[in-house]
Amino acid sequence: MGNSLKWALALLPLLAVSAEAADPSLPQAVADTPEDSSLPPGWALQVTPYLWAAGLKGDISPFRRGPTISVEKSFSDVMDHLNVGGFLDVWGRYDRLVFSGDVMYVNTTDSHVIGALPVIGATPGLSADVDTVQFSATLKGGYRVYDDQDLTLDVLAGMRIWHISNDVTVNYGTFSRSYGEDFGWVDPVIGFRAFYKVTPKFSVHAQADIGGFGAGSDHTWQTLATANYAFTDHLSVSAGYKILDVDYDSDGHVFDSTLKGPVLGLTYRF
């Protein structure tokens, strides 16, 4: 798959709905609810697809019987192996009650050509393909503890759901053998979200959460900061930086990793 097609797939969520610069992940640069909103009074809703140019660093054991390996990949390395990826954030509010959901899906294939086996005579080449699917969804609810014309502060609690799937296929001439494993867990999380309107068009936003506490992973934490610009009451764009860290080690599976990089999102407010 060429790099241009991979970029198109990675950017597809930005072209689908309008979404993440104004949520608890990428906030609003104007009021929560546009003046011409069709939502019932007291309700606010915004959706944000976004691009996260994240690199990966950590220690991973994708198979229960396999060794733990150190991994360090830049965003360009991830793009070289990307099949499809998507990121979506949804945020809602009713009066002072707030709700948020952030979903990540990344599918990659890493191919390795080992070459001919060291035996006498011509032999077919030996190669291996490793397909990895990483999915996480952070679902939170909370309460707006401070709300004025320019500044809001929400406290939130919820869970982060993880699912990791790995399949390895070994090819030797016409012979092919595959093996796969998947594992997952759920982490409780607590956090906050703050939003400050600098001007009617420009705003800044920060949010963070922490969790795990040994219930799923040993620990997990996430932080995000963005600057936002509103083109209209309904549409805004956000740019910033996001870090997601998790340390999971259970039943022979290890996923101790940090993903971090810049984010770019497009938000639509209903």
Side-chain angles (χ1 to χ4, degrees):
M1 184 182 294
N3 281 339
S4 59
L5 180 55
K6 294 176 185 176
W7 274 101
L9 289 171
L11 287 167
L12 185 61
L14 288 174
L15 305 176
V17 206
S18 299
E20 161 151 349
D23 74 319
S25 275
L26 291 175
Q28 67 272 49
V30 291
D32 279 340
T33 308
E35 291 183 3
D36 58 348
S37 173
S38 59
L39 295 175
W43 280 95
L45 178 64
Q46 47 204 27
V47 183
T48 306
Y50 63 101
L51 172 66
W52 184 19
L56 170 67
K57 182 177 181 180
D59 298 315
I60 298 173
S61 179
F63 301 107
R64 183 176 290 110
R65 299 177 182 86
T68 299
I69 57 176
S70 295
V71 176
E72 185 169 1
K73 293 184 178 182
S74 66
F75 175 63
S76 61
D77 293 331
V78 174
M79 289 300 300
D80 286 340
H81 303 130
L82 181 68
N83 297 321
V84 64
F87 307 91
L88 180 68
D89 195 285
V90 179
W91 178 87
R93 177 181 62 83
Y94 176 70
D95 195 16
R96 284 183 175 266
L97 299 177
V98 293
F99 315 91
S100 73
D102 184 86
V103 177
M104 171 180 69
Y105 177 89
V106 178
N107 182 311
T108 61
T109 299
D110 196 353
S111 299
H112 300 275
V113 177
I114 302 170
L117 295 176
V119 297
I120 298 175
T123 62
L126 181 66
S127 65
D129 298 326
V130 181
D131 295 314
T132 300
V133 174
Q134 180 177 331
F135 170 85
S136 75
T138 303
L139 308 174
K140 292 181 288 189
Y143 189 77
R144 176 154 294 180
V145 295
Y146 186 83
D147 190 357
D148 72 11
Q149 184 175 359
D150 298 322
L151 177 65
T152 63
L153 177 64
D154 305 329
V155 293
L156 302 155
M159 59 184 174
R160 183 142 50 239
I161 303 166
W162 294 86
H163 186 266
I164 311 295
S165 174
N166 295 281
D167 293 279
V168 59
T169 301
V170 178
N171 303 295
Y172 181 66
T174 59
F175 172 82
S176 180
R177 180 63 63 87
S178 298
Y179 176 76
E181 284 187 16
D182 61 274
F183 58 101
W185 68 96
V186 178
D187 287 323
V189 294
I190 56 174
F192 76 92
R193 171 184 181 269
F195 169 79
Y196 179 66
K197 184 163 61 176
V198 181
T199 71
K201 293 288 186 179
F202 181 74
S203 64
V204 291
H205 152 266
Q207 75 168 33
D209 64 49
I210 187 170
F213 310 120
S217 66
D218 291 336
H219 70 260
T220 182
W221 61 272
Q222 175 179 242
T223 184
L224 171 71
T226 64
N228 321 289
Y229 183 81
F231 296 105
T232 69
D233 284 349
H234 291 278
L235 189 65
S236 62
V237 64
S238 296
Y241 200 85
K242 179 177 180 178
I243 304 173
L244 174 59
D245 182 272
V246 63
D247 182 1
Y248 176 82
D249 186 348
S250 179
D251 197 25
H253 292 294
V254 175
F255 195 76
D256 180 6
S257 68
T258 302
L259 296 99
K260 59 182 177 180
V263 294
L264 178 65
L266 188 67
T267 295
Y268 187 81
R269 278 175 299 280
F270 293 89

